Amino acid sequence: MVRSAMTSLWSGELVRLRAVEPEDWAAFAAFDRDTADQRATDRVFPPRSEAGYRAWAQEQSTDSDAFRLVIEAIAGSTFVGSINTFDARPLDGCFSYGLGVLRRYRRKGYAREAITLLLGYMFGERRYQKCDVGVYAFNEDSLALHHKLGFAEEGRLRRQVFTGGTHHDLVRFGMTTEEFTALMP
């Protein structure tokens, strides 16, 4: 992605990142209902009520360095997934993120661009110096994506995740602000 082509810190060529709106509850509910989709990339959680989704969407905030954003395709303003930051430690200058993209929108460049936009903000505007990411070892698409993005594989935590009746490894990746700047000048 070439930064000069961006019209906003939150928009690229394919996606824009935006705050979660209360009406987004239905898109998140539909995403969570696809348990086959979840099992391929993540854990499966118990169902939540419509009221629970509405309350959750209403509570989403971007007032701290731990936040969730909707990934929206620019073409059609379509909900394609979400990205969130967590474990933001300003004193250390480190943060983590999680990402979820609906199956029909995978392998189209949306995740790559959303991650790049988020890293640009966290490194460039919030002055974080390192991003740590954990990827489930069975999620081959995410492993490949993080390698392509230039993240360094920093280790493997054996049998850290239990889903689908089996324990799985968690692969740890990291990227520093200098590595990001070298890859995305």
Side-chain angles (χ1 to χ4, degrees), residues 15-141:
V15 302
R16 87 177 43 84
L17 302 181
R18 64 168 177 79
V20 175
E21 297 290 343
E23 59 270 15
D24 290 325
W25 74 267
F28 282 99
F31 187 60
D32 288 353
R33 275 194 302 270
D34 188 352
T35 56
D37 193 35
Q38 287 178 5
R39 185 162 283 154
T41 59
D42 201 351
R43 296 178 177 184
V44 177
F45 296 98
R48 187 185 307 179
S49 69
E50 183 178 305
Y53 278 104
R54 286 180 189 273
W56 174 86
Q58 188 73 38
E59 294 168 0
Q60 296 305 299
S61 169
T62 55
D63 292 340
S64 73
D65 286 347
F67 55 85
R68 179 177 306 276
L69 300 172
V70 167
I71 302 169
E72 186 176 78
I74 290 175
S77 297
T78 307
F79 177 100
V80 300
S82 70
I83 190 166
N84 67 295
T85 59
F86 63 94
D87 195 22
R89 301 183 323 273
L91 186 61
D92 300 322
C94 299
F95 72 98
S96 296
Y97 71 83
L99 174 83
V101 175
L102 289 160
R103 183 180 328 156
R104 65 183 171 273
Y105 298 112
R106 292 183 189 154
R107 304 184 72 71
K108 298 181 186 302
Y110 297 129
R112 171 192 285 267
E113 193 168 82
I115 292 167
T116 302
L117 291 169
L118 180 74
L119 292 175
Y121 173 72
M122 294 299 282
F123 289 145
E125 300 299 319
R126 302 302 301 156
R127 294 180 280 185
Y128 282 87
Q129 60 89 30
K130 183 160 186 254
C131 177
D132 296 306
V133 180
V135 177
Y136 301 142
F138 60 82
N139 189 341
E140 294 178 15
D141 287 345

Side-chain angles (χ1 to χ4, degrees), residues 152-157 170-173:
E153 192 170 318
E154 296 182 337
R156 179 177 289 257
L157 302 173
L170 182 70
V171 180
R172 298 297 302 177
F173 287 93

